[in-house]
Amino acid sequence: MLSSHSATSVPTSSSPPPPRTVTSDPRQVNMETYWREVQSIEEEQEGEEEEEERKSMDEVELEEAWLTEAGLSSLVVGSSSTESPPVAEAVLSTLTRQQAATVKKRLDNYNETLRKRNRQPIRDVRDIFTDPDGDSAGHCPFPTQSHPESPPRRYHTTTKTIRRNTNRGRSTLPMFVFEDQLPEDPSSPAPTPSPSSPNTYSSPVSQLRCADWLLRDTPYSEGVAEHKQGGTCRDCVCFHGDENSELQFAPVSPSHGLTCADDLSSRDLTRLGFISHIELSTFLQALGVQTKRTRPPHSRTRDGGVFGVSLNSLLDNDRKKFPGVKVPVFFQKLLSFLEQNGLQTEGILRVPGSAAKLKFLRRELDRCWSIFDWTEVRPVDAAGLLKLFIRELPTPLLTHTHLSTFCSVLGVSSEVHQVQALQLLLLLLPETHRNTLRALLVFLRKVVSHQDQNRMSLWNVSMVMAPNLFTHRNRGKKLSITKQRDEMEEAVGGAHLIGLMIRHQDLLWTVPNFLLAQVRQVNQASSQRKFNLSRTTSRLLRRKNEKNDRNQVSELCEGVIRVHAPLHTKVSMAIQLDELTTAKDVTTRFESETSPAQYLYEVGGNIYERRLQPDCCLLDVYRVNPHCDWLIKP
């Protein structure tokens, strides 16, 4: 895919070529921008130790790491995982045929490698993929009509909704584009972004397409079978732009509400990561894309200051003063300064600051950034500090674990499938990294929206950020012409990925419908297996629960749910539902002029906790999770 860029002229060393006085080729200008950025990085890092060369993982390490990230660590020899076997079995029981085939292939390879090394596997793959009840893992993964015994409820025991006829029509699904809003005062905790917030980005693209794949009940890997025969799938046909425009995909909200990663509890996110990991591998394999992985280098981290300190350490310190903050306060302050002072600065991010000045500013900020005076800082120096902060992270923003997979996404031929793969990949990032990347992408989009003043187009911004987000590995080394050409192709590829993330960030943080359905199934299966319930026992208990539910419901009028609001004067309220009742309708009844923003949550049943978006239909939420409780809180 990148071969079309290989004709770009190559410098004779790792330093950039001499600046040309006149050029009319935009791509040549951008490559010069890239090499200037590389030179700037090398000047700032002059005298520092070179990073150790990253070595490839052997087959056992590779498969062990893959199985662990898939929630199947109990199948790994010598594992000390805290995840219990029922969780691994629950994950396996919810997989589609293709997902199960991917796991089986990985496990076969792992066991075969162990046998070659005269080590005994924990379990034979035939035992793992045999269901004692005769229900194969390859069956349809979404039997939403069966419900195991509901776990103990955390709130009022009579909370219950009434089943309604599910065969009803709905109007056209709402479509919206949303943008995160960082706090005006970056020293305060970052509020949780709401998908319903208005989009202030002036998009340079000429087309906007609804990403209806978010609504499907089938995984992405199930829809790309045509690619194996060299054909074109439905998404490739439906979602493509003409030669003179770029597409921007907009998230489409299902009737039971759009779900973002931030809307789910940490336990649900962990299980979402297991399924996303398996689906991403299955999806890329179906598209014929191979992934490789290297052993993470030893990270050098610092205990104090802000540069070279892990994001988790920064957040731990920030939360002592600002509980609940999700993005390091220093990073928020830096972005806020640039938004206020640098968006209209010509060449912002591209024009380098003084290396000596950056070293001085770094020392001062490391010493005591909380009382640092920003009034004398130039925007170009602040931009340099931003890039320096990203490069100095002990664990890269995109993480050592996933950097190579990001590069593998470039092997996907269709942009729509690249976006789908990025969506799955970003859901795998640790929460701190995902939230920090999200704040960065919002800022970069604002830079692009001011390109008439700052001369920084989407491609310019992407090329400048590429060597900062995708670690520049060959600094200070003399490279052959072939290796230089490879590095330039990697630079162009990295810039392409950054451009996709900036342009499509509205939907990259959303959870596709099929993933959320599989998480619900994992929770159901895990709850059932935790108590070692057979199918017969589960069926009997379900009938008993339904009988008890009918007795409880008789205390309420038909179509009424009880909503709990422990932080309000009214701690609970019975609410009559109809076909159009939304979460916003319910929270409005508890709001007052002085109350902070409140959300409605579904708690328990087949989800641990999920924040509902204001536009979601509560009857549809109930149909998906009939045993949940309803809770209002910030």
Side-chain angles (χ1 to χ4, degrees):
M1 189 182 80
L2 301 177
S3 59
S4 60
H5 306 303
S6 60
T8 308
S9 61
V10 181
T12 57
S13 70
S14 61
S15 299
R20 293 179 173 84
T21 55
V22 178
T23 179
S24 58
D25 184 357
R27 189 163 298 279
Q28 181 65 47
V29 172
N30 285 315
M31 287 310 303
E32 290 177 358
T33 297
Y34 170 82
W35 287 111
R36 289 195 191 97
E37 183 66 18
V38 170
Q39 183 181 42
S40 175
I41 294 173
E42 291 178 349
E43 289 176 354
E44 293 171 17
Q45 296 177 334
E46 187 175 356
E48 297 181 11
E49 296 182 8
E50 289 189 11
E51 295 180 1
E52 62 176 297
E53 185 176 352
R54 297 179 64 182
K55 300 178 180 179
S56 298
M57 302 173 73
D58 63 31
E59 282 191 272
V60 170
E61 286 180 305
L62 186 65
E63 303 303 345
E64 284 182 348
W66 192 94
L67 290 168
T68 300
E69 290 166 22
L72 307 176
S73 55
S74 59
L75 307 180
V76 174
V77 172
S79 170
S80 58
S81 169
T82 58
E83 285 287 347
S84 57
V87 174
E89 294 174 9
V91 170
L92 291 171
S93 70
T94 64
L95 302 181
T96 65
R97 285 186 176 85
Q98 290 195 49
Q99 291 171 345
T102 298
V103 174
K104 184 177 182 299
K105 180 179 179 181
R106 290 278 187 169
L107 199 56
D108 277 338
N109 189 38
Y110 174 65
N111 289 339
E112 182 62 28
T113 307
L114 287 182
R115 291 189 185 97
K116 290 179 181 178
R117 298 185 180 185
N118 296 319
R119 294 168 62 187
Q120 185 64 30
I122 290 182
R123 294 173 65 185
D124 190 273
V125 68
R126 291 169 295 183
D127 298 330
I128 295 168
F129 284 95
T130 299
D131 192 329
D133 290 306
D135 187 15
S136 172
H139 288 183
C140 178
F142 307 117
T144 56
Q145 298 305 315
S146 62
H147 303 288
E149 180 186 18
S150 179
R153 299 187 178 189
R154 299 170 58 188
Y155 302 100
H156 197 284
T157 57
T158 62
T159 301
K160 179 66 181 176
T161 59
I162 308 299
R163 290 179 186 259
R164 292 283 190 90
N165 179 18
T166 58
N167 296 323
R168 64 182 178 87
R170 287 189 60 84
S171 57
T172 303
L173 292 170
M175 180 275 290
F176 49 82
V177 181
F178 58 91
E179 175 180 333
D180 289 337
Q181 298 293 334
L182 293 177
E184 294 181 3
D185 179 7
S187 63
S188 62
T192 302
S194 170
S196 59
S197 59
N199 176 27
T200 58
Y201 171 56
S202 177
S203 174
V205 300
S206 59
Q207 296 186 54
L208 194 64
R209 299 284 181 91
C210 296
D212 66 351
W213 64 73
L214 294 173
L215 306 178
R216 296 176 196 162
D217 291 330
T218 54
Y220 297 155
S221 56
E222 299 287 325
V224 293
E226 294 87 348
H227 286 272
K228 289 186 176 181
Q229 289 80 36
T232 303
C233 70
R234 172 184 177 274
D235 285 341
C236 291
V237 174
C238 295
F239 299 101
H240 67 278
D242 57 47
E243 296 180 354
N244 300 316
S245 68
E246 295 176 323
L247 288 176
Q248 181 174 340
F249 298 120
V252 180
S253 177
S255 59
H256 53 77
L258 194 70
T259 301
C260 298
D262 288 345
D263 294 331
L264 297 175
S265 68
S266 58
R267 189 177 78 167
D268 292 322
L269 277 175
T270 298
R271 296 178 178 187
L272 177 70
F274 296 158
I275 303 297
S276 298
H277 175 69
I278 296 171
E279 169 61 15
L280 177 62
S281 298
T282 307
F283 184 52
L284 293 178
Q285 182 178 310
L287 291 169
V289 176
Q290 300 297 321
T291 59
K292 61 180 180 178
R293 189 163 178 176
T294 55
R295 188 180 293 110
H298 295 294
S299 300
R300 297 187 296 270
T301 185
R302 302 174 59 213
D303 296 329
V306 288
F307 293 92
V309 181
S310 70
L311 293 176
N312 284 331
S313 296
L314 291 173
L315 279 176
D316 287 343
N317 289 329
D318 290 339
R319 284 169 179 165
K320 295 175 182 177
K321 189 174 181 181
F322 306 111
V325 69
K326 295 186 176 182
V327 177
V329 175
F330 170 74
F331 193 71
Q332 293 185 59
K333 177 64 179 177
L334 194 52
L335 294 179
S336 177
F337 176 84
L338 285 167
E339 287 180 13
Q340 295 172 18
N341 302 280
L343 290 181
Q344 299 187 19
T345 301
E346 184 169 343
I348 191 66
L349 296 175
R350 184 183 72 237
V351 177
S354 164
K357 183 67 172 178
L358 284 180
K359 289 181 179 179
F360 169 77
L361 291 173
R362 172 179 175 162
R363 285 196 303 268
E364 291 299 306
L365 289 166
D366 274 337
R367 186 173 60 85
C368 192
W369 72 267
S370 59
I371 60 173
F372 181 76
D373 183 9
W374 291 85
T375 56
E376 300 299 323
V377 178
R378 299 183 305 163
V380 292
D381 291 328
L385 290 171
L386 173 66
K387 294 183 289 184
L388 179 64
F389 177 86
I390 294 171
R391 291 197 308 272
E392 291 287 301
L393 287 172
T395 300
L397 197 54
L398 302 180
T399 74
H400 293 299
T401 301
H402 301 299
L403 267 175
S404 58
T405 311
F406 274 98
C407 297
S408 299
V409 173
L410 293 168
V412 177
S413 59
S414 168
E415 180 170 315
V416 63
H417 295 320
Q418 288 180 338
V419 173
Q420 291 170 337
L422 285 174
Q423 184 185 35
L424 295 171
L425 191 49
L426 292 180
L427 290 174
L428 298 179
L429 292 181
E431 184 178 5
T432 53
H433 288 249
R434 185 173 59 247
N435 290 333
T436 304
L437 176 63
R438 188 172 187 173
L440 175 65
L441 292 178
V442 169
F443 166 72
L444 295 180
R445 186 163 64 175
K446 291 178 180 178
V447 172
V448 176
S449 70
H450 289 77
Q451 61 180 300
D452 290 342
Q453 294 82 33
N454 58 36
R455 307 299 181 192
M456 292 297 291
S457 65
L458 177 64
W459 187 250
N460 280 336
V461 171
S462 301
M463 286 298 291
V464 169
M465 295 305 298
N468 293 282
L469 283 171
F470 296 93
T471 309
H472 175 56
R473 297 170 297 176
N474 298 314
R475 56 186 175 88
K477 298 180 181 179
K478 298 292 183 180
L479 302 179
S480 66
I481 297 296
T482 301
K483 289 187 175 180
Q484 290 176 35
R485 195 179 300 278
D486 290 343
E487 182 171 331
M488 283 198 301
E489 289 199 2
E490 288 180 9
V492 173
H496 175 71
L497 291 178
I498 294 171
L500 286 180
M501 288 190 285
I502 294 173
R503 189 150 40 97
H504 302 299
Q505 60 184 275
D506 292 325
L507 60 80
L508 291 180
W509 321 108
T510 59
V511 180
N513 206 39
F514 74 87
L515 274 184
L516 187 60
Q518 284 191 269
V519 170
R520 291 183 186 276
Q521 274 213 290
V522 170
N523 289 336
Q524 286 182 352
S526 178
S527 176
Q528 178 176 330
R529 292 168 188 270
K530 180 179 179 181
F531 297 103
N532 296 319
L533 300 177
S534 67
R535 290 185 181 274
T536 303
T537 304
S538 177
R539 191 179 302 112
L540 291 173
L541 286 173
R542 184 166 63 252
R543 290 175 180 172
K544 180 180 178 181
N545 288 338
E546 289 175 353
K547 182 178 180 181
N548 290 337
D549 287 339
R550 284 194 294 269
N551 292 335
Q552 292 174 358
V553 171
S554 64
E555 301 175 9
L556 299 173
C557 297
E558 183 179 357
V560 175
I561 63 170
R562 186 170 297 279
V563 179
H564 303 275
L567 300 180
H568 288 71
T569 305
K570 296 179 180 179
V571 295
S572 69
M573 181 184 295
I575 297 179
Q576 175 75 49
L577 295 182
D578 59 34
E579 297 288 330
L580 301 178
T581 303
T582 65
K584 178 64 175 175
D585 297 330
V586 173
T587 56
T588 300
R589 302 194 185 192
F590 290 85
E591 289 178 354
S592 64
E593 294 181 358
T594 58
S595 63
Q598 303 285 303
Y599 292 91
L600 182 63
Y601 290 76
E602 60 166 314
V603 181
N606 55 33
I607 204 80
Y608 187 72
E609 186 174 279
R610 171 183 172 237
R611 180 175 57 205
L612 304 178
Q613 294 302 324
D615 65 337
C616 76
C617 175
L618 297 188
L619 281 176
D620 288 333
V621 175
Y622 168 72
R623 292 187 182 104
V624 175
N625 189 7
H627 297 293
C628 73
D629 290 314
W630 309 84
L631 176 68
I632 289 182
K633 65 177 184 176

